[in-house]
Amino acid sequence: MRIYLSKFAIIICLTLIFPSPTLSLKSAVNVWPKPRLVSWPKPLARFLSANFTIDSPYHQHLAPAVTRYLALIRTEHYHPLITPSVNLSASAPPLQTLSINITDLAVPLQHGVNETYSLSISEVGEKAYLIAETAWGAMRGLETFSQLVWGDPSAIPVGLYIWDAPLFAYRGVMLDTSRNYYEVEDILRTIEAMSANKVNVFHWHITDSHSFPLMVPSEPELAAKGSYGPDMIYSPSDVAKIVQFGLEHGVRILPEIDSPGHTGSWAEAYPEIVACANMFWLPPGIAWADRLASEPGTGHLNPLNQKTYKVLKNVIRDVSNLFPETFYHGGADEIVPGCWKADPTIQLFLSNGGTLGQLLEKFINSTNNTKKIVQAGYQTIVASSEFYYLDCGHGDFLGNDSLYDPQTTGRDPKDGKSWCDPFKAWQTIYNYDITFGLSEDEAKLVLGGEVVLWSEQADPTVLDGKLWPRTSAMAETLWSGNRDEGGRKRSAEATDRLNEWRYRMVSRGVKAEPIQPLWCIRNPGMCNASPFT
């Protein structure tokens, strides 16, 4: 589990929790994530006008979203796998306009921003109404509206009221782009899918020991020498494009530059500031406790070299300028003592009575304002390897491993294991309560959670399938929870809805993996573990 430091000491908690009605897959109200409150007394629907429009106040980031959603609503014509059982009136006048009203257009996209919205679609009248506190809440409402529309010609449920807001302010995806490189278009497609699932933070693990793919203006040699090649570098203009795309989709872009560990790639430009770079990670005859790294790819920044801080401060300053996000992730995980012990200058420091703890303290005090961190208080974003690591269960990536030499039945628990086995099924993710076992006061310190995709065995060819629809499972639990109005886990009820949502994502260009045969969704209940659930 990774712990994050927040610049915010106060969490705004929603205290109104509205029960959600039980809506079958045959309902026309199939929105993912499920809204907090839906009122739809009668199963009525009517058509959208062929000239349907969206009336919205101007906002520089909302305007492109309105244009995007208008095109989607007019042209998607999604056909549900099971035709909704509704009374669709051909005689009722078509819906002409969605009118958007926003209370405060000046609020920036930042942690804790109000994403509340309400949506009203009457049985009569030319207009539907979307009301939001902020432009970011309006984006969430636009996504909901788009999911309500189906068919050709397009229809929408009426006599409908939705009130919606997230349970948790932070709902993220972490992607590692160091171990394998992802094109800008892969990142943009991921952000677009996140927005559709109301996931609002793209945590970008940009660098690691394996490559340094970010062009830092004041330290250009880091990428020039530390990347996989000139065609595998994110330029400042690439970053600007990704940040802008995030703003237009209501997704924050949170950068991570991992240090002092996981910095072997820095040694290609500055070998003098990196300990144990380019050494074999687990030398023969060495105990695990004395390893140089936890996986292939060695290197730790040397806290005793003053040039370390000059380079690192330049990197942090430039990254802060490239990204408007108020959070910055400094890594600081997996400090491996064996790596520092392998460096001659650090060996001398230790032989003179210094400790590894003092080394780490020196590094942290030289790169962070400790007083500000303490004053801010410690808050948590959950990224549990037991529930949220999406790369798990795919075997190990080490070559030349004698573990696999003996022929077995394939059922040996040692066969094909990764360190974070097993595979995290969507049901496992959906049923995870991130505040389980916490007191009310402790739960208030949990900002939210994020799924994590490390890229030892992932690249653009498998990106969508590894992320989706499992990330959708997390998205719903952090938005509206995983329990019904009676307090029961609703993963069984969610299966058919997630099936439908997965097919809709695929129709929108996201290659989400299937969770069941198509036959199951066309024969509701027949693929359940029990006929009574």
Side-chain angles (χ1 to χ4, degrees), residues 37-49:
L37 172 67
V38 178
S39 176
W40 192 43
K42 295 180 290 185
L44 302 176
R46 59 176 166 142
F47 292 113
L48 262 65
S49 168

Side-chain angles (χ1 to χ4, degrees), residues 408-468:
T408 68
T409 62
R411 297 180 180 177
D412 189 307
K414 294 181 181 179
D415 286 351
K417 288 180 71 70
S418 59
W419 74 269
C420 57
D421 272 354
F423 177 86
K424 314 308 177 193
W426 78 264
Q427 298 95 326
T428 300
I429 295 169
Y430 194 91
N431 284 321
Y432 179 40
D433 289 326
I434 64 173
T435 59
F436 178 78
L438 302 183
S439 69
E440 184 176 346
D441 287 340
E442 290 169 337
K444 291 178 181 179
L445 295 174
V446 179
L447 304 180
E450 68 180 17
V451 293
V452 174
L453 183 58
W454 299 109
S455 292
E456 287 91 345
Q457 294 173 296
D459 70 6
T461 64
V462 298
L463 176 61
D464 288 10
K466 284 187 178 289
L467 285 178
W468 310 103

Side-chain angles (χ1 to χ4, degrees), residues 217-460:
S218 64
E219 297 289 352
E221 291 295 288
L222 286 170
K225 295 182 178 180
S227 68
Y228 285 135
D231 58 342
M232 296 187 185
I233 293 175
Y234 302 107
S235 68
S237 62
D238 290 332
V239 172
K241 181 177 182 179
I242 291 168
V243 167
Q244 180 65 23
F245 193 85
L247 288 167
E248 292 174 3
H249 287 76
V251 176
R252 296 156 48 204
I253 313 299
L254 191 165
E256 177 183 355
I257 305 296
D258 208 346
S259 67
H262 295 273
T263 49
S265 59
W266 300 48
E268 301 302 317
Y270 298 110
E272 68 273 24
I273 71 171
V274 183
C276 86
N278 298 313
M279 298 177 69
F280 191 75
W281 70 289
L282 187 61
I286 295 295
W288 179 252
D290 295 321
R291 69 196 184 278
L292 300 186
S294 294
E295 69 174 31
T298 57
H300 282 25
L301 293 180
N302 186 340
L304 298 180
N305 190 325
Q306 290 306 304
K307 188 173 182 180
T308 297
Y309 304 109
K310 174 181 178 294
V311 174
L312 183 58
K313 287 179 179 178
N314 285 341
V315 169
I316 293 175
R317 183 192 65 243
D318 282 5
V319 169
S320 298
N321 290 333
L322 287 170
F323 294 86
E325 169 60 35
T326 53
F327 283 18
Y328 171 86
H329 197 304
D333 66 323
E334 293 187 329
I335 306 299
V336 179
C339 180
W340 273 341
K341 289 178 182 178
D343 183 88
T345 60
I346 295 176
Q347 288 174 3
L348 180 62
F349 172 79
L350 296 175
S351 67
N352 289 331
T355 67
L356 293 172
Q358 289 172 335
L359 272 180
L360 183 59
E361 182 179 5
K362 177 178 175 61
F363 179 84
I364 291 175
N365 287 342
S366 298
T367 57
N368 293 282
N369 189 320
T370 306
K371 183 176 178 62
K372 287 185 178 179
I373 291 173
V374 173
Q375 287 178 336
Y378 294 96
Q379 297 171 317
T380 301
I381 295 165
V382 178
S384 169
S385 63
E386 295 181 1
F387 294 93
Y388 281 171
Y389 273 32
L390 301 184
D391 54 302
C392 302
H394 201 61
D396 210 338
F397 74 98
L398 298 177
N400 165 4
D401 191 344
S402 61
L403 177 67
Y404 297 93
D405 290 349
Q407 180 156 336
T408 68
T409 62
R411 297 180 180 177
D412 189 307
K414 294 181 181 179
D415 286 351
K417 288 180 71 70
S418 59
W419 74 269
C420 57
D421 272 354
F423 177 86
K424 314 308 177 193
W426 78 264
Q427 298 95 326
T428 300
I429 295 169
Y430 194 91
N431 284 321
Y432 179 40
D433 289 326
I434 64 173
T435 59
F436 178 78
L438 302 183
S439 69
E440 184 176 346
D441 287 340
E442 290 169 337
K444 291 178 181 179
L445 295 174
V446 179
L447 304 180
E450 68 180 17
V451 293
V452 174
L453 183 58
W454 299 109
S455 292
E456 287 91 345
Q457 294 173 296
D459 70 6

